[in-house]
Amino acid sequence: MAIDNNDLEHCLIAPSHAAAVRCDQTSWLRSIVEMVQLMMSLGMVVGLDKLLEKAFAAASIKFPSALFGMFCVFAVLLLLDAFAPALARGFIAFFDPATLFIHRWLPLFFVPSLVILPLSVRDVSPASAIKIFSITFGGWFASLAVAGYTALTVRRTVKTQLLPPEPMNKPSPFAALELWAWGALFLASFALAYVSPTALGTTATTCLPFLLASTVFGYMLGSRLPSAARKVLHPIICCALSADLAAVAYGYLSRSGLDAVLGDYLTKAPSNPGAGDILMGFLGSVIISFAFSMFKQRKLVRRHAAEIFTSIAIASTFSLYSTAILGRVIGLEPTLTISILPRCITVALALSIVSFFEGVNSSITAAVVVLTGLIGANFAQAVMDKLGLKDPIARGIGTASSAHGLGTAAVSAKEPEALPFCAMAYALTGIFASLICSISVVRQSLVYIAGSPAYDK
């Protein structure tokens, strides 16, 4: 049933009881239509992700299926735009509710690895931890500056004038009612888990409701903090802290300990998922949804292809070699240096890259990737402002090339115009780094610089 615009006009000019009833019916009908559209579009994105994931697993392909899906959707939209523009616009309009919903909750899907960070760094000595943090923070800053300034330099060289980006819709802010509802859900589920720890079966399913609620509640609470407070306590940090504090409280009260509760947060067991597994199960859908944002900025992507691809290639190479050099200079153990080489790359591809080398610690790899993302999420926008990186291309590439998904999630909330370039850099940085690390000469040079050529496969 179509909604007639005349009905909406009548609502405004006829204050009678009949008109009010008709307005209510129209509003109710519109809400139903929007909800159905959201469920259908979101379901199709999630379905595509799961289909590709199963196909890649069956074919034993290690490349992340979601990145492949993102580029496929982007390519299909470009083809439709070339041969059937009206159909392309229809697709974008249909999937708009899904992309807005995903962008509203974007940081949540990148947080689980950050929540379990305390488990990943237990075996690292304090001296090595300080060195790793120094490399991570200094390397992040250098990678951001290199990527951003390379984009600006290439633009000046090819003399491409920056055009205004297409306006992007911003997700609606969280209402106080939503915050109270999730807070109440957290308290109720925490009390149930404490009073009856076996009510839901396994320990992971017992902890799942309150850990999931605490994660969501922390994110919403962080998003509603004053802007001055968010500069110090980013919603992503608030989100992770909320989940960790809930885990500490339950571990203490139940006497099961923090390690056991965090182990139940991210089990990586499909038959016994935790709260983190539920959230990360949507990560592929998030990545695929980036294709729609990229398509909306396709004119800028096409116009500025030179600076986009050049800066990504240079930033990726710089990140790998600068990490190896810094590790050698400050005396970090070669195994740890090799383990943190892909610090600026999303976890899935970072783990694939370190698998090329012998003797690495993949837990350290994952922890450093998360730490890099956390740094970028908290400081990227302020640092880019200080460096004079003003336009969305330089900001998007600089953020994602230095801080992958977490940085992308943080920037997109305030700067949706930068999201398409974040998405491209997020994907292409990992792909380019994977390609050059698959070359034996590059691997040998990296391990030689790190201090021990014995770790190359």
Side-chain angles (χ1 to χ4, degrees), residues 11-62:
C11 294
L12 300 177
I13 62 177
S16 66
H17 175 70
V21 171
R22 192 172 185 181
C23 291
D24 290 340
Q25 292 174 341
T26 301
S27 177
W28 176 81
L29 180 59
R30 171 177 288 180
S31 298
I32 293 295
V33 170
E34 289 176 349
M35 181 60 67
V36 171
Q37 184 181 352
L38 171 61
M39 297 301 293
M40 289 179 63
S41 58
L42 190 60
M44 292 176 68
V45 175
V46 174
L48 175 61
D49 170 49
K50 300 307 176 186
L51 181 65
L52 288 173
E53 186 178 344
K54 289 183 178 179
F56 273 51
S60 300
I61 300 174
K62 293 184 177 181

Coordinates of all heavy atoms in Angstrom, one line a residue, residues 11-62:
C11 N -2.7 15.9 7.2 CA -2.4 15.8 8.6 C -2.0 17.1 9.2 O -2.3 17.4 10.4 CB -1.2 14.8 8.9 SG -1.6 13.1 8.5
L12 N -1.4 18.0 8.4 CA -0.9 19.2 8.9 C -1.9 20.3 8.9 O -1.9 21.2 9.7 CB 0.3 19.7 8.0 CG 1.5 18.7 8.0 CD1 2.6 19.3 7.1 CD2 2.1 18.6 9.4
I13 N -2.9 20.2 7.9 CA -3.8 21.3 7.8 C -5.2 21.0 8.3 O -6.1 21.9 8.4 CB -4.0 21.7 6.3 CG1 -4.5 20.6 5.5 CG2 -2.6 22.2 5.8 CD1 -4.7 20.9 4.0
A14 N -5.5 19.7 8.7 CA -6.9 19.4 9.1 C -6.8 18.8 10.5 O -6.5 17.6 10.7 CB -7.5 18.4 8.2
P15 N -6.9 19.6 11.6 CA -6.7 19.1 12.9 C -7.9 18.4 13.5 O -8.1 18.3 14.7 CB -6.5 20.4 13.7 CG -7.3 21.5 12.9 CD -7.2 21.1 11.5
S16 N -8.9 17.9 12.7 CA -10.1 17.2 13.2 C -9.7 15.9 13.7 O -8.6 15.4 13.5 CB -11.1 17.1 12.0 OG -10.6 16.2 11.1
H17 N -10.6 15.3 14.4 CA -10.4 13.9 15.0 C -10.1 12.9 13.9 O -9.2 12.1 14.0 CB -11.5 13.5 15.9 CG -11.4 12.1 16.4 ND1 -10.5 11.8 17.4 CD2 -12.1 11.0 16.1 CE1 -10.6 10.5 17.7 NE2 -11.6 10.0 16.9
A18 N -10.9 13.0 12.8 CA -10.8 12.0 11.7 C -9.4 12.1 11.1 O -8.8 11.2 10.8 CB -11.9 12.2 10.7
A19 N -9.0 13.4 10.9 CA -7.7 13.6 10.3 C -6.6 13.1 11.2 O -5.6 12.5 10.7 CB -7.5 15.1 10.0
A20 N -6.7 13.3 12.5 CA -5.7 12.8 13.5 C -5.6 11.3 13.4 O -4.5 10.7 13.4 CB -6.0 13.3 14.9
V21 N -6.8 10.6 13.3 CA -6.8 9.2 13.2 C -6.1 8.7 11.9 O -5.3 7.8 11.9 CB -8.2 8.6 13.3 CG1 -8.2 7.1 12.9 CG2 -8.8 8.9 14.6
R22 N -6.4 9.4 10.8 CA -5.7 9.1 9.6 C -4.2 9.3 9.6 O -3.5 8.5 9.1 CB -6.4 9.9 8.5 CG -6.0 9.5 7.1 CD -6.8 10.2 6.0 NE -6.6 9.7 4.7 CZ -7.1 10.2 3.6 NH1 -7.9 11.2 3.7 NH2 -6.8 9.6 2.4
C23 N -3.8 10.4 10.3 CA -2.4 10.6 10.4 C -1.7 9.5 11.2 O -0.6 9.0 10.9 CB -2.1 11.9 11.2 SG -2.6 13.4 10.2
D24 N -2.4 9.0 12.3 CA -1.8 8.0 13.1 C -1.7 6.7 12.3 O -0.7 6.0 12.4 CB -2.7 7.7 14.3 CG -2.6 8.8 15.3 OD1 -1.6 9.6 15.3 OD2 -3.5 8.9 16.2
Q25 N -2.7 6.4 11.4 CA -2.6 5.2 10.6 C -1.5 5.3 9.6 O -0.8 4.3 9.3 CB -4.0 5.1 9.9 CG -5.1 4.7 10.8 CD -6.5 4.7 10.1 OE1 -6.6 5.2 9.0 NE2 -7.4 4.0 10.7
T26 N -1.3 6.5 9.0 CA -0.3 6.7 8.0 C 1.1 6.6 8.7 O 2.0 5.9 8.1 CB -0.4 8.1 7.4 OG1 -1.6 8.3 6.8 CG2 0.7 8.4 6.4
S27 N 1.3 7.1 9.9 CA 2.5 7.0 10.6 C 2.8 5.6 10.9 O 3.9 5.1 10.8 CB 2.5 7.9 11.8 OG 3.7 7.7 12.6
W28 N 1.8 4.9 11.4 CA 1.9 3.5 11.8 C 2.3 2.6 10.6 O 3.2 1.8 10.6 CB 0.6 3.0 12.4 CG 0.6 1.5 12.7 CD1 1.1 0.9 13.8 CD2 0.0 0.5 11.9 NE1 0.9 -0.4 13.8 CE2 0.2 -0.7 12.6 CE3 -0.6 0.4 10.7 CZ2 -0.2 -2.0 12.1 CZ3 -1.1 -0.8 10.2 CH2 -0.9 -2.0 10.9
L29 N 1.6 2.9 9.4 CA 1.9 2.1 8.2 C 3.3 2.4 7.7 O 4.1 1.5 7.3 CB 0.9 2.5 7.1 CG 1.1 1.8 5.8 CD1 1.0 0.3 5.9 CD2 0.1 2.3 4.8
R30 N 3.8 3.7 7.8 CA 5.1 4.0 7.4 C 6.2 3.3 8.3 O 7.2 2.7 7.8 CB 5.4 5.5 7.5 CG 6.8 5.9 7.3 CD 7.0 7.4 7.3 NE 6.5 8.0 6.1 CZ 6.5 9.3 5.8 NH1 7.0 10.1 6.7 NH2 6.1 9.8 4.7
S31 N 5.9 3.2 9.6 CA 6.8 2.5 10.5 C 6.9 1.0 10.2 O 8.0 0.4 10.2 CB 6.3 2.7 11.9 OG 6.4 4.0 12.3
I32 N 5.8 0.4 9.8 CA 5.8 -1.0 9.5 C 6.6 -1.2 8.2 O 7.4 -2.2 8.1 CB 4.3 -1.5 9.3 CG1 3.6 -1.5 10.6 CG2 4.3 -2.9 8.7 CD1 4.1 -2.5 11.6
V33 N 6.4 -0.4 7.2 CA 7.1 -0.5 5.9 C 8.6 -0.4 6.1 O 9.4 -1.1 5.6 CB 6.6 0.5 4.9 CG1 7.5 0.6 3.7 CG2 5.1 0.2 4.5
E34 N 9.0 0.6 6.9 CA 10.4 0.9 7.2 C 11.0 -0.3 7.9 O 12.1 -0.7 7.7 CB 10.6 2.1 8.0 CG 10.3 3.4 7.2 CD 10.4 4.7 8.1 OE1 10.4 4.5 9.3 OE2 10.4 5.8 7.5
M35 N 10.3 -0.9 8.9 CA 10.8 -2.0 9.6 C 11.0 -3.3 8.7 O 12.0 -4.0 8.8 CB 9.8 -2.4 10.8 CG 10.3 -3.6 11.6 SD 11.9 -3.3 12.4 CE 11.5 -1.9 13.5
V36 N 10.0 -3.5 7.8 CA 10.1 -4.6 6.9 C 11.3 -4.4 6.0 O 12.0 -5.4 5.7 CB 8.8 -4.8 6.1 CG1 9.0 -5.8 5.0 CG2 7.7 -5.2 7.0
Q37 N 11.5 -3.2 5.5 CA 12.6 -2.9 4.6 C 13.9 -3.1 5.3 O 14.8 -3.7 4.7 CB 12.5 -1.5 4.1 CG 13.6 -1.1 3.0 CD 13.4 0.3 2.5 OE1 12.5 1.0 2.8 NE2 14.4 0.7 1.8
L38 N 14.0 -2.7 6.6 CA 15.2 -2.9 7.3 C 15.5 -4.3 7.5 O 16.6 -4.8 7.3 CB 15.1 -2.2 8.7 CG 16.2 -2.5 9.7 CD1 17.5 -2.0 9.2 CD2 15.9 -1.9 11.1
M39 N 14.5 -5.1 7.9 CA 14.7 -6.5 8.1 C 15.2 -7.3 6.8 O 16.0 -8.1 6.8 CB 13.5 -7.2 8.7 CG 13.1 -6.7 10.0 SD 14.3 -6.9 11.3 CE 14.3 -8.7 11.4
M40 N 14.5 -6.9 5.7 CA 14.8 -7.5 4.4 C 16.2 -7.2 4.0 O 17.0 -8.0 3.6 CB 13.8 -7.2 3.4 CG 12.4 -7.8 3.6 SD 11.2 -7.2 2.3 CE 12.0 -7.9 0.9
S41 N 16.5 -5.9 4.0 CA 17.8 -5.4 3.5 C 19.0 -5.9 4.4 O 20.0 -6.4 3.9 CB 17.9 -3.9 3.4 OG 17.6 -3.3 4.6
L42 N 18.8 -5.9 5.7 CA 19.8 -6.4 6.6 C 20.0 -7.9 6.5 O 21.1 -8.4 6.5 CB 19.4 -6.0 8.0 CG 20.5 -6.2 9.1 CD1 21.8 -5.4 8.8 CD2 19.9 -5.8 10.5
G43 N 18.9 -8.6 6.3 CA 18.9 -10.0 6.2 C 19.7 -10.4 4.9 O 20.4 -11.4 4.9
M44 N 19.5 -9.7 3.8 CA 20.2 -10.0 2.6 C 21.7 -9.8 2.7 O 22.5 -10.6 2.2 CB 19.6 -9.1 1.4 CG 18.2 -9.5 1.1 SD 17.5 -8.5 -0.2 CE 18.5 -8.9 -1.6
V45 N 22.1 -8.7 3.4 CA 23.6 -8.5 3.6 C 24.2 -9.6 4.5 O 25.2 -10.1 4.2 CB 23.8 -7.1 4.3 CG1 25.2 -6.9 4.6 CG2 23.3 -6.0 3.4
V46 N 23.5 -9.9 5.6 CA 24.0 -11.0 6.4 C 24.0 -12.3 5.7 O 24.9 -13.1 5.8 CB 23.1 -11.1 7.7 CG1 23.5 -12.3 8.5 CG2 23.2 -9.8 8.5
G47 N 22.9 -12.6 4.9 CA 22.9 -13.8 4.1 C 24.0 -13.9 3.1 O 24.6 -15.0 3.0
L48 N 24.3 -12.8 2.4 CA 25.4 -12.9 1.5 C 26.7 -13.1 2.2 O 27.6 -13.9 1.7 CB 25.5 -11.5 0.8 CG 26.7 -11.3 -0.2 CD1 26.6 -12.4 -1.3 CD2 26.7 -9.9 -0.8
D49 N 26.9 -12.5 3.4 CA 28.2 -12.8 4.1 C 28.3 -14.2 4.5 O 29.4 -14.8 4.3 CB 28.2 -11.9 5.4 CG 29.3 -12.2 6.3 OD1 30.5 -12.4 5.8 OD2 29.0 -12.4 7.5
K50 N 27.2 -14.8 5.0 CA 27.3 -16.2 5.4 C 27.5 -17.2 4.3 O 28.2 -18.2 4.4 CB 26.0 -16.6 6.2 CG 25.8 -15.8 7.5 CD 27.0 -15.8 8.4 CE 26.9 -14.9 9.6 NZ 28.1 -14.8 10.4
L51 N 26.9 -16.9 3.1 CA 27.0 -17.7 1.9 C 28.4 -17.7 1.4 O 29.0 -18.7 1.1 CB 26.1 -17.2 0.8 CG 26.1 -17.9 -0.5 CD1 25.5 -19.3 -0.3 CD2 25.2 -17.2 -1.5
L52 N 29.0 -16.5 1.4 CA 30.4 -16.4 0.9 C 31.4 -17.1 1.9 O 32.3 -17.7 1.5 CB 30.8 -14.9 0.8 CG 30.2 -14.2 -0.4 CD1 30.6 -12.7 -0.3 CD2 30.7 -14.7 -1.7
E53 N 31.1 -16.9 3.2 CA 31.9 -17.5 4.2 C 31.9 -19.0 4.1 O 33.0 -19.7 4.1 CB 31.4 -17.1 5.6 CG 32.3 -17.6 6.8 CD 31.7 -17.2 8.1 OE1 30.9 -16.3 8.2 OE2 32.2 -17.7 9.1
K54 N 30.8 -19.6 3.9 CA 30.7 -21.1 3.7 C 31.4 -21.5 2.4 O 32.1 -22.5 2.3 CB 29.3 -21.5 3.7 CG 28.6 -21.5 5.0 CD 27.2 -22.0 4.9 CE 26.5 -21.9 6.3 NZ 25.1 -22.4 6.3
A55 N 31.2 -20.7 1.3 CA 31.9 -21.1 0.0 C 33.4 -21.0 0.1 O 34.1 -21.9 -0.4 CB 31.4 -20.1 -1.1
F56 N 33.9 -20.0 0.8 CA 35.4 -19.9 0.9 C 35.9 -21.0 1.8 O 37.0 -21.5 1.6 CB 35.7 -18.5 1.5 CG 35.9 -17.4 0.5 CD1 34.9 -17.2 -0.4 CD2 37.0 -16.6 0.5 CE1 35.1 -16.2 -1.4 CE2 37.2 -15.6 -0.5 CZ 36.2 -15.4 -1.4
A57 N 35.2 -21.3 2.9 CA 35.6 -22.4 3.8 C 35.6 -23.8 3.0 O 36.6 -24.6 3.2 CB 34.7 -22.5 5.0
A58 N 34.6 -24.0 2.2 CA 34.5 -25.2 1.4 C 35.7 -25.3 0.4 O 36.2 -26.4 0.1 CB 33.2 -25.3 0.7
A59 N 36.1 -24.2 -0.1 CA 37.1 -24.1 -1.1 C 38.5 -24.0 -0.5 O 39.5 -23.9 -1.2 CB 36.9 -23.0 -2.1
S60 N 38.6 -23.9 0.9 CA 39.8 -23.8 1.6 C 40.6 -22.5 1.2 O 41.8 -22.5 1.1 CB 40.8 -25.0 1.4 OG 40.1 -26.2 1.9
I61 N 39.8 -21.4 1.0 CA 40.4 -20.1 0.6 C 40.6 -19.3 1.9 O 39.6 -19.1 2.6 CB 39.5 -19.4 -0.4 CG1 39.3 -20.2 -1.7 CG2 40.1 -18.0 -0.7 CD1 38.3 -19.5 -2.6
K62 N 41.8 -18.9 2.2 CA 42.1 -18.2 3.4 C 41.8 -16.7 3.3 O 41.7 -16.0 4.4 CB 43.6 -18.4 3.8 CG 43.9 -19.8 4.2 CD 45.3 -20.0 4.7 CE 45.7 -21.4 5.1 NZ 47.1 -21.5 5.6

